[in-house]
Amino acid sequence: MSLPTFKRGIHPKENKSLTSESAIEDFKPSGEFVYPMSQHIGAPCSPVVKKGDRVLVGQKIGDTEAFVSAPILSSVSGTVKDITTRMTISGGIEQCVIVESDGEFENGTTLVPRGDFKSLPPADCVKIVREAGIVGAGGATFPTHVKLSPPPDKKIRWIIVNGVECEPFLNCDNRLMREEPEPIIGGLEICMHVFPEAEGVIAVEDNKPEAIARIGREVSERGCKARVMPHRVKYPQGAEKMLIYTVTKQEIPPGALPAEVGCLVMNVRTLYHIWHAVTDGIPVTERIVSVTGDVIANPKNIRAPLGTSVRAMIDAAGGFTGDPVKILAGGPMMGISMRSIDVPIVKGTSGILALSANAARSFTETNCIRCGRCVSSCPMGLQPSLLDRVVRLREYAEFEAAGGMNCIECGCCSYICPARRYITQSCRDGKAGVMAARKKSA
Amino acid sequence: MDQLLSVSSSPHIRSETDTRRIMAWVIASLAPAGVVGAFFLGTRSILVIAAGIISCVAAEAIWQKYMKQPVTVSDLSAVVTGLLLAYNVPPTIPLWMVVCGGVFAMIIVKHFFGGIGQNILNPALAGRAMMLICWPIAMTTWTVRGVSGATPLAVLKGTDVSGTLPSIADAFLGNIGGCIGETSALAIIIGGGLLIYKDIISWRIPVVYIVTVAVIQTLLGRQGAPLMEIFSGGLMLGAFFMATDYTTSPMTSKGQIIFAFGCGLIASLIRSFGGYPEGVSYSILIMNLTTPIIDRLTMPRVFGEVKDHGGR
Ligand code: SF4
Ligand code: SF4
């Protein structure tokens, strides 16, 4: 039997077993919580609280008028200790609200439980989603209410649930599907309520049979009109473009959004939040993070309040057993390496990965031997070796002409390259170079 | 510990296969052909092979040292070139000629163009071509266990009227005259099969190349076609080990098929109509020159783009 998939791609070592069988553990630390004002793609928020204010769980502490944005909520109750710049998990310096927790977790959300969503007008559901601070939980952190408001001329025909989790090591989505499938399918039903003509398709990679079974049971028990579609295991199956191609056999044109081809892609965790926000009035104040890697003592999946420091998360997983050379936010293929672990987890943090020098080896580049492996692994159909070469010659126009702007930075080319070339990094530089040139000529 | 964290661009993991490992597999896959060659053609073959390898490795190391470049002989690519060069000469050849060929292949063909990955011609084949021009007699004197004899291709060509064709079985196993690594089709297929199985080369170039030669020569009605045609001479070695050289062959699947077809066509034409009994080396060298343009014309289609942007 051959399961559906996309063209090209790679098979990195999965390393999922470190955390795949560990049930989600709740972690409620005390002390200081840090909330960067930008935890999503789009306009950053401005603080709406002052130093010294008392805040409650779910209370808005940052917001903006901009449409493509999502409010920041406090995940604890306590006192605003400071509003200042701090380093974030991606290594940037941003404005942050810092709250000293009182350990009470006193609830202060303005959302009200609505119970049955079927009587709610779809526009109200979308409004609740914004107020709840929901953004794409897969890592792209695109504000979900924006996704739910496509241009009126674009008909949504598919709602694709992304339960693929193709990054090695990570299991937060897998565990959520296995342990709490109800809110996921409930969230899908709310989306189908907003887009009544759309078909629901739940995509899960075939390496998660328990999740497939559990989600399938939930779908049939609830009588949800969606189908579970197992996908062949291949990286980067979870990338939006590859997922849409696998499910609908349509290729998103360069620069277009999924709505262009009638698709809405929602991460399982995002749906979970939608359900809790609409029916129970619970906004986004926590997330599940896979804390794993070869130098973590007890790799596990931890549900913690947003704003918790990475250091506290690592301590909660037993600390280090050896010297990590790299600590990543996210998975090993697309994750960002952190400069410091005294940074807070944010809405887009799916994993904290501590790797030893052996697991995250650094290599010396050698000449490209023209083996073609990068070409036959690039899911975007690019010629990475060519992009790598032209970027190093600073020929950005050539980079653009060769389609370089389509690069999704999945890392397949660098992963596979026997000459150990840093091709993905070249592509990033190339994209930045093209953008800079565009700005100059604009 | 914060100071010690290394910050770098993703991805943070790499596959196990590096250039050196690839070259090691190529060497392992070439071994059977060499063993069979030494068995049928005599132990002097081993000296020739050693001369080929040592001269290539030494030439590369000395050149890089002298040019103040990092010495990269540990990537084993020079060993592969040396092996292939030795496989492409008769076992009776004077060793100093092999050394000249090796030095020429490494310095002129490989390093004048920028080293591994940059050369436009296959170094071993270009080295062999140079030797054929300089020392035509030494390069075409064949013996099997001390008895000089004709190669099947020379017989087919009619340039050697005294010779007789060996049996297909002898040609397949390698009990025929020829260059050291060329004689045993069986040993080459075993090695080439290993490379395909290990995903180091694709089946496209060898299969398309060999099939093209078989079909064209059968259509031309050559005596012994298709089997004697494909089992004799350098076709097997060329198709599996030289036309598949990464650096000098196209990267895309479509490009590889075009390239291999071109090789097959040119080799057949030379064998049937050209001045030489054998045309494999030249067919590959000629197609090497077309690789950049084939690559340009067969660029993959970018995901989501309607038209092939390669035709720009
Ligand atoms: S990082 Fe870019 S160029 Fe490399 S494989 Fe992914 S999409 Fe292709
Ligand atoms: S994978 Fe690396 S060595 Fe192979 S063609 Fe691409 S860049 Fe060159």
Side-chain angles (χ1 to χ4, degrees):
Chain A
M1 186 187 66
S2 124
L3 291 168
T5 186
F6 60 99
K7 290 183 200 144
R8 299 176 283 268
I10 56 167
H11 293 98
K13 199 158 169 263
E14 291 179 19
N15 282 312
K16 296 246 188 205
S17 58
L18 283 175
T19 52
S20 63
E21 302 313 312
S22 90
I24 300 168
E25 274 180 34
D26 281 308
F27 175 49
K28 297 251 182 221
S30 55
E32 182 185 282
F33 288 75
V34 180
Y35 307 94
M37 287 294 108
S38 180
Q39 303 197 9
H40 46 262
I41 288 181
C45 293
S46 307
V48 295
V49 288
K50 298 186 309 297
K51 193 170 163 178
D53 283 359
R54 177 166 158 79
V55 292
L56 303 175
V57 176
Q59 183 180 333
K60 228 182 247 183
I61 53 176
D63 205 354
T64 162
E65 292 287 301
F67 180 63
V68 184
S69 189
I72 310 291
L73 314 173
S74 179
S75 60
V76 293
S77 56
T79 317
V80 177
K81 201 162 117 185
D82 205 354
I83 296 174
T84 180
T85 51
R86 283 281 181 96
M87 188 189 279
T88 64
I89 201 160
S90 50
I93 305 287
E94 275 169 33
Q95 190 175 38
C96 297
V97 172
I98 298 152
V99 175
E100 183 70 34
S101 167
D102 60 11
E104 300 293 328
F105 292 94
E106 191 182 323
N107 191 8
T109 180
T110 51
L111 295 183
V112 283
R114 304 296 183 113
D116 186 16
F117 64 86
K118 293 205 178 75
S119 53
L120 275 181
D124 286 10
C125 294
V126 177
K127 214 182 279 159
I128 296 170
V129 165
R130 184 189 187 277
E131 288 307 297
I134 302 176
V135 301
T141 65
F142 192 72
T144 302
H145 66 278
V146 182
K147 267 195 185 175
L148 290 173
S149 322
D153 58 315
K154 304 278 179 276
K155 210 177 130 227
I156 297 296
R157 288 185 290 153
W158 288 275
I159 298 171
I160 302 173
V161 181
N162 190 348
V164 171
E165 203 166 51
C166 58
E167 271 274 6
F169 285 97
L170 303 188
N171 276 301
C172 48
D173 291 350
N174 179 19
R175 288 311 307 184
L176 191 71
M177 288 188 279
R178 282 166 68 170
E179 294 178 40
E180 300 175 39
E182 308 88 351
I184 297 174
I185 304 306
L188 173 60
E189 285 174 340
I190 295 176
C191 292
M192 293 167 82
H193 173 62
V194 176
F195 301 102
E197 285 163 52
E199 182 195 357
V201 182
I202 304 156
V204 187
E205 264 188 354
D206 197 35
N207 56 359
K208 308 182 217 351
E210 300 89 350
I212 293 174
R214 193 66 194 81
I215 287 279
R217 200 157 76 227
E218 190 63 27
V219 167
S220 59
E221 274 171 14
R222 293 178 78 106
C224 171
K225 279 191 220 51
R227 68 192 157 96
V228 182
M229 187 174 176
H231 281 23
R232 194 187 308 169
V233 179
K234 193 163 73 174
Y235 179 86
Q237 179 65 72
E240 205 163 61
K241 293 184 183 209
M242 280 66 243
L243 190 57
I244 290 174
Y245 176 81
T246 309
V247 173
T248 72
K249 291 288 168 276
Q250 299 179 96
E251 295 185 3
I252 302 185
L257 289 174
E260 191 72 35
V261 292
C263 291
L264 188 69
V265 181
M266 290 282 178
N267 177 271
V268 287
R269 174 92 192 150
T270 312
L271 293 174
Y272 167 96
H273 286 312
I274 294 177
W275 170 260
H276 280 309
V278 174
T279 61
D280 307 328
I282 301 175
V284 181
T285 62
E286 312 168 317
R287 87 151 288 155
I288 302 167
V289 181
S290 293
V291 183
T292 177
D294 63 338
V295 287
I296 293 286
N298 308 309
K300 53 172 83 159
N301 303 295
I302 301 175
R303 188 196 319 256
L306 293 170
T308 303
S309 81
V310 169
R311 186 183 293 277
M313 298 292 283
I314 292 172
D315 287 343
F320 300 117
T321 54
D323 283 332
V325 295
K326 272 192 192 175
I327 300 179
L328 309 176
M333 290 303 295
M334 292 188 75
I336 298 171
S337 56
M338 297 180 209
R339 280 166 219 279
S340 155
I341 57 172
D342 293 308
V343 293
I345 59 166
V346 288
K347 291 173 184 175
T349 310
S350 50
I352 295 170
L353 193 54
L355 298 176
S356 68
N358 196 26
R361 282 163 65 198
S362 63
F363 293 96
T364 324
E365 282 187 328
T366 54
N367 275 3
C368 163
I369 55 170
R370 290 182 34 87
C371 69
R373 282 175 171 76
C374 52
V375 180
S376 43
S377 70
C378 175
M380 291 304 293
L382 303 172
Q383 216 169 324
S385 55
L386 172 75
L387 300 177
D388 183 48
R389 191 171 70 233
V390 296
V391 166
R392 286 165 202 245
L393 297 170
R394 297 175 191 251
E395 289 172 357
Y396 296 126
E398 191 62 26
F399 175 81
E400 197 176 358
M405 298 306 278
N406 291 293
C407 169
I408 57 171
E409 301 175 22
C410 63
C412 291
C413 49
S414 296
Y415 173 84
I416 207 81
C417 178
R420 307 307 195 192
R421 300 201 60 82
Y422 288 80
I423 313 172
T424 310
Q425 184 169 353
S426 292
C427 289
R428 261 183 214 121
D429 296 349
K431 285 162 84 172
V434 171
M435 295 311 278
R438 277 189 196 161
K439 235 188 204 150
K440 230 177 155 177
S441 64
Chain B
M1 52 141 272
D2 286 1
Q3 271 63 42
L4 298 174
L5 285 183
S6 82
V7 174
S8 69
S9 184
S10 66
H12 305 281
I13 48 173
R14 300 287 188 115
S15 81
E16 294 291 317
T17 306
D18 61 3
T19 303
R20 181 194 163 97
R21 186 177 290 211
I22 290 172
M23 295 300 162
W25 277 111
V26 174
I27 293 166
S29 310
L30 279 167
V35 171
V36 178
F39 177 76
F40 285 120
L41 302 178
T43 43
R44 191 166 188 286
S45 308
I46 295 166
L47 286 181
V48 175
I49 292 172
I53 294 176
I54 293 169
S55 61
C56 283
V57 172
E60 175 153 87
I62 292 169
W63 172 267
Q64 290 180 323
K65 261 236 157 78
Y66 182 72
M67 296 303 288
K68 305 216 164 34
Q69 294 167 354
V71 176
T72 59
V73 290
S74 64
D75 69 17
L76 300 179
S77 64
V79 176
V80 171
T81 302
L83 256 183
L84 284 173
L85 182 72
Y87 280 14
N88 271 289
V89 298
T92 47
I93 192 159
L95 295 184
W96 64 270
M97 289 184 190
V98 181
V99 172
C100 289
V103 172
F104 177 85
M106 292 320 284
I107 309 288
I108 313 263
V109 187
K110 185 174 177 184
H111 281 284
F112 274 18
F113 285 84
I116 188 168
Q118 311 270 26
N119 46 294
I120 50 175
L121 294 174
N122 182 317
L125 280 181
R128 172 181 190 267
M130 181 279 286
M131 292 167 76
L132 196 57
I133 291 165
C134 296
W135 308 293
I137 310 287
M139 283 292 285
T140 52
T141 303
W142 320 104
T143 55
V144 183
R145 295 205 195 90
V147 184
S148 70
T151 63
L153 286 177
V155 177
L156 289 174
K157 186 97 198 172
T159 47
D160 196 330
V161 282
S162 62
T164 48
L165 280 180
S167 71
I168 294 278
D170 276 346
F172 184 67
L173 292 176
N175 194 11
I176 50 172
C179 298
I180 296 172
E182 286 181 354
T183 59
S184 172
L186 176 65
I188 296 168
I189 290 172
I190 290 173
L194 180 64
L195 286 189
I196 294 173
Y197 172 73
K198 296 299 296 181
D199 244 342
I200 288 171
I201 60 171
S202 107
W203 58 270
R204 289 184 197 89
I205 290 180
V207 170
V208 172
Y209 191 172
I210 293 166
V211 168
T212 304
V213 170
V215 169
I216 292 179
Q217 299 297 55
T218 308
L219 291 179
L220 289 175
R222 281 249 289 187
Q223 184 200 349
L227 287 185
M228 187 56 77
E229 192 70 43
I230 62 172
F231 290 150
S232 53
L235 180 60
M236 283 289 161
L237 186 67
F240 279 101
F241 288 97
M242 290 189 288
T244 53
D245 171 36
Y246 288 150
T247 302
T248 54
S249 66
M251 288 203 277
T252 61
S253 320
K254 222 192 295 171
Q256 290 171 353
I257 290 174
I258 297 170
F259 175 89
F261 175 77
C263 287
L265 182 68
I266 296 171
S268 304
L269 292 180
I270 295 177
R271 278 186 178 184
S272 290
F273 306 110
Y276 289 102
E278 174 59 304
V280 166
S281 305
Y282 289 111
S283 76
I284 298 173
L285 286 170
I286 292 169
M287 290 311 290
N288 283 167
L289 298 173
T290 69
T291 293
I293 182 117
I294 293 180
D295 259 343
R296 188 125 22 96
L297 294 178
T298 56
M299 264 202 194
R301 183 183 58 85
V302 175
F303 183 95
E305 274 187 4
V306 189
K307 279 197 69 188
D308 193 336
H309 71 116
R312 241 172 332 118

